[in-house]
Amino acid sequence: MSLAERLGLAIFALTVGVLLALGLGVREAWRVAEERSFEAAFTQALVPLGDQLAGEITQLPELVRPLCQDDPLLDSALVGLVSDDLAARRLPISLRVPKLAKALNLTELTVLTSSGEILGSTSPGRVGQKSAELVTRVAKAPPTAKLEGEGKNLTISAACVKRDEQRTKLWVGVLATRNLDAVLSRIGKSSGVELSLEAPPLSKERLQRTLSLGEKTGISITAARSRRALLSTVEQLDLTVLLIGSATLASALLITVLLSRGLAKPVRALAEQAQRVIHGDPQPVVATGARELVEAAEAFNRAIADLVALRKRLAVTERIAARREIARRVAHEIKNPLLPIRASVETLRRLRARQDPAFDEYFDEATRTVLDEVARISNIVSEFTRFARLPAPQPAAFDVEEAVRAVVQLHGSSGAPLYLRADSVPELVADKDQVVQVVTNLVQNAQQALADRPGGRVEVRLTREQDKLVLAVTDNGPGIAPEMRGRLFEPYATTKAEGTGLGLAIVERIVVEHGGEITAGDAPGGGASFVVKLPLSGPTLLPEAPRESAFEP
Ligand SMILES: Nc1ncnc2c1ncn2[C@@H]1O[C@H](COP(=O)(O)OP(=O)(O)OP(=O)(O)O)[C@@H](O)[C@H]1O
Ligand SMILES: [Mg+2]
């Protein structure tokens, strides 16, 4: 994951987290506050209900009582009852009762005698009927009003009796009932609640409380209020949080993109410069932007300079060691041809001193021996010099398949047949001449191992393994001799009469100097296999330290 992506993800996660926490927190706090204030308002609204009901309870008896005290209606009825002269009075009484009920705002008004006969009623059908139950209710009515809840209706009733002074058993009474539904609905409306005797089923849509109207009455009223306003406020809040959240998220993303671009750009530029340095451009890297990047660039430049210096010292040490070894080897190799030269010259001198007639005859042979051995010495010296003076690689991009194909064609015309199998590989950054020398040495070795072997064949394979080029040279010859196995790449290690033993040493040195590696092993069907891996982008170390003068302030 790139720096920009990481940064983007982190800011995104942070923003979402903060938004969620903040949004949900604010929403919840707001919701709780709203609900509390709503409940407070609701409870407040219920206060007048109690007051109004209490007012009704005290008001009704006061309204009814005067009827029994000095109202002509009851006076006339009692006189009729006592004098057994009710017949003429029934009609006016029955006509007056509904009017009176209307004037007093009563739902029901009943006038009856102690015998239970209904003289007048707001329900005209009941006039003339008898009701023992009503007699009990009126006779035993308490002086205060009675609150009753029947089904859906809340009523309040009060009664009074006017007795004959002598025959106290004879009386006429009044039962007044007032339906409080209208009162309930008026109070409910004024306080924004819905009052009812029957509790509606519980619902999330409503806030609901049950009020008991005193323990004696056993009546309770349910007050309900729609929560829709509250819910819509919370919905509004959710919407606002969502909108603000989306806007914040969008701006956070925008800022992230800009910020990460701004941050990643100098890092990318630095990485590109570092890549160039590693692939051989001895320019110091220059960082822009954050202080840490500038410090990193300086550290990188110092590390590269140290590395190059170290490598140079190492190369010098290696060269000294190699020269010593070469001097030792050259001395050893030259000693051998010197012996026949010395012997030839000494013999010539001896024959000459003796004036031996064989002198002329031996002269030719001796000088040929001397010349041959001198040529051998010269050959040895030039081969060794070639190894010792192997120049540093000059890497450049080239078509490696084409170069390898040329080597294969050149050597395929003689010796064991050569086959090239090449995948499509990108251009290789390397010293072309040295790569050609690697292929040549490996191919020559394989062909030499196959000399005189019928059916011998050499396969050169070119593939790619990630960022590496893989060159494999495989033959079906005798394989690597056991005594050569641990020292294949040592200089002068050879099993051939005419060999210098420098071929593989040169190959290894070239490969290593290109930042690659070489391995030797047995081929699957017998024979030897040499596998060379080279970085496609070239040697990974600088030949030179970055020039100080190239540093920018
Ligand atoms: N394909 C091969 N099969 C078997 N043995 C091999 C093969 N390639 C190299 N060798 C062994 O490794 C030795 C060293 O090889 P190297 O190329 O270094 O020197 P050389 O071939 O002997 O001499 P020069 O390269 O100067 O001709 C060889 O003498 C040989 O014994
Ligand atoms: Mg060789």
Side-chain angles (χ1 to χ4, degrees):
M1 205 186 276
S2 75
L3 188 68
E5 284 166 343
R6 271 166 198 257
L7 195 71
L9 208 67
I11 294 186
F12 180 76
L14 197 72
T15 313
V16 169
V18 169
L19 275 179
L20 275 182
L22 215 67
L24 291 182
V26 167
R27 178 190 187 277
E28 190 53 21
W30 198 341
R31 194 188 61 78
V32 169
E34 276 288 314
E35 203 134 324
R36 270 198 200 135
S37 79
F38 183 83
E39 280 209 37
F42 178 73
T43 317
Q44 198 68 31
L46 296 181
V47 175
L49 174 68
D51 294 348
Q52 293 238 18
L53 284 180
E56 288 284 335
I57 287 173
T58 49
Q59 193 198 3
L60 194 64
E62 281 168 17
L63 212 64
V64 173
R65 210 171 297 127
L67 294 181
C68 295
Q69 280 168 356
D70 45 19
D71 193 270
L73 180 79
L74 283 214
D75 285 347
S76 155
L78 186 63
V79 168
L81 181 69
V82 173
S83 59
D84 207 9
D85 179 27
L86 269 176
R89 299 170 198 262
R90 276 191 182 106
L91 186 62
I93 293 173
S94 69
L95 289 177
R96 171 123 165 82
V97 167
K99 287 179 190 156
L100 194 63
K102 205 171 176 189
L104 295 177
N105 191 22
L106 297 170
T107 327
E108 266 181 54
L109 182 65
T110 312
V111 174
L112 75 164
T113 65
S114 47
S115 61
E117 186 191 346
I118 296 171
L119 297 176
S121 169
T122 38
S123 318
R126 299 187 73 192
V127 176
Q129 287 179 359
K130 281 202 164 188
S131 166
E133 183 231 325
L134 278 183
V135 172
T136 331
R137 271 186 75 184
V138 173
K140 292 190 175 167
T144 52
K146 195 176 169 197
L147 202 58
E148 283 166 311
E150 280 172 31
K152 288 183 175 178
N153 297 324
L154 180 69
T155 55
I156 185 166
S157 61
C160 65
V161 169
K162 189 175 178 83
R163 292 178 191 276
D164 182 57
E165 280 166 11
Q166 276 91 45
R167 297 160 66 189
T168 52
K169 278 193 178 169
L170 290 182
W171 51 262
V172 286
V174 171
L175 177 65
T177 308
R178 184 178 276 172
N179 194 333
L180 290 183
D181 285 351
V183 177
L184 278 186
S185 102
R186 196 181 64 241
I187 296 174
K189 252 183 210 154
S190 69
S191 3
V193 293
E194 218 175 89
L195 298 169
S196 61
L197 275 182
E198 280 188 345
L202 287 175
S203 150
K204 276 188 177 175
E205 294 270 294
R206 281 192 302 272
L207 247 173
Q208 207 162 297
R209 293 282 179 280
T210 303
L211 301 170
S212 175
L213 296 179
E215 276 176 21
K216 278 185 209 158
T217 65
I219 302 168
S220 53
I221 287 184
T222 303
R225 186 169 180 173
S226 165
R227 295 179 72 200
R228 207 154 283 156
L230 172 68
L231 292 178
S232 79
T233 309
V234 173
E235 267 169 25
Q236 196 69 37
L237 188 64
D238 283 350
L239 198 71
T240 314
V241 168
L242 201 71
L243 278 178
I244 294 177
S246 314
T248 315
L249 201 64
S251 10
L253 282 179
L254 188 73
I255 291 172
T256 307
V257 170
L258 296 178
L259 195 69
S260 55
R261 267 197 200 157
L263 274 181
K265 210 172 155 189
V267 176
R268 247 197 332 267
L270 193 63
E272 277 165 15
Q273 289 183 64
Q275 283 290 335
R276 279 205 297 278
V277 172
I278 285 168
H279 291 142
D281 181 9
Q283 293 288 326
V285 297
V286 181
T288 51
R291 181 165 44 83
E292 290 84 348
L293 284 182
V294 175
E295 284 170 6
E298 283 167 4
F300 179 82
N301 286 334
R302 272 199 303 278
I304 288 288
D306 286 356
L307 208 60
V308 172
L310 192 70
R311 195 165 162 250
K312 272 187 176 168
R313 277 207 299 281
L314 206 66
V316 170
T317 320
E318 262 180 4
R319 232 173 283 139
I320 292 169
R323 281 190 193 133
R324 267 199 209 122
E325 177 65 11
I326 286 163
R328 200 176 62 77
R329 283 284 171 169
V330 169
H332 177 79
E333 292 292 320
I334 287 175
K335 251 187 206 163
N336 293 343
L338 282 181
L339 280 177
I341 291 173
R342 186 183 183 154
S344 301
V345 173
E346 277 175 0
T347 311
L348 274 182
R349 281 175 66 96
R350 220 174 24 236
L351 291 175
R352 176 95 159 77
R354 284 207 311 253
Q355 297 287 328
D356 196 319
F359 176 84
D360 286 343
E361 191 189 322
Y362 185 64
F363 182 81
D364 270 354
E365 192 191 326
T367 50
R368 202 179 313 115
T369 305
V370 169
L371 284 176
D372 281 354
E373 295 303 329
V374 165
R376 213 175 120 195
I377 288 171
S378 160
N379 195 27
I380 289 167
V381 169
S382 66
E383 277 293 331
F384 288 161
T385 318
R386 192 163 66 88
F387 175 62
R389 284 210 189 133
L390 191 64
Q394 302 290 321
F398 68 97
D399 184 342
V400 64
E401 188 191 332
E402 190 187 289
V404 172
R405 195 175 292 283
V407 176
V408 166
Q409 270 166 6
L410 188 71
H411 289 80
S413 51
S414 60
L418 296 174
Y419 300 94
L420 171 65
R421 279 210 292 147
D423 292 355
S424 91
V425 287
E427 287 201 321
L428 174 70
V429 179
D431 187 314
K432 184 177 171 183
D433 291 343
Q434 293 191 358
V435 172
V436 165
Q437 191 169 2
V438 165
V439 185
T440 306
N441 286 8
L442 293 177
V443 163
Q444 276 178 352
N445 276 354
Q447 282 188 317
Q448 285 162 7
L450 290 169
D452 318 325
R453 280 174 84 97
R457 54 175 282 146
V458 181
E459 187 178 280
V460 180
R461 183 119 175 70
L462 213 52
T463 50
R464 178 189 184 165
E465 201 173 84
Q466 285 147 14
D467 56 349
K468 289 195 174 115
L469 175 89
V470 182
L471 169 87
V473 179
T474 310
D475 63 66
N476 58 354
I480 295 154
E483 71 271 21
M484 285 307 294
R485 279 174 194 254
R487 46 198 288 264
L488 264 183
F489 300 102
E490 273 180 21
Y492 322 112
T494 179
T495 52
K496 298 169 196 166
E498 295 295 311
T500 62
L502 289 173
L504 286 179
I506 290 171
V507 167
E508 189 191 41
R509 196 161 148 192
I510 291 173
V511 170
V512 169
E513 285 191 343
H514 276 81
E517 55 188 272
I518 178 167
T519 48
D522 296 326
S529 174
F530 287 82
V531 180
V532 172
K533 291 184 182 174
L534 294 174
L536 279 164
S537 50
T540 50
L541 277 178
L542 287 181
E544 288 293 326
R547 287 183 292 279
E548 276 305 313
S549 59
F551 274 90
E552 281 173 25

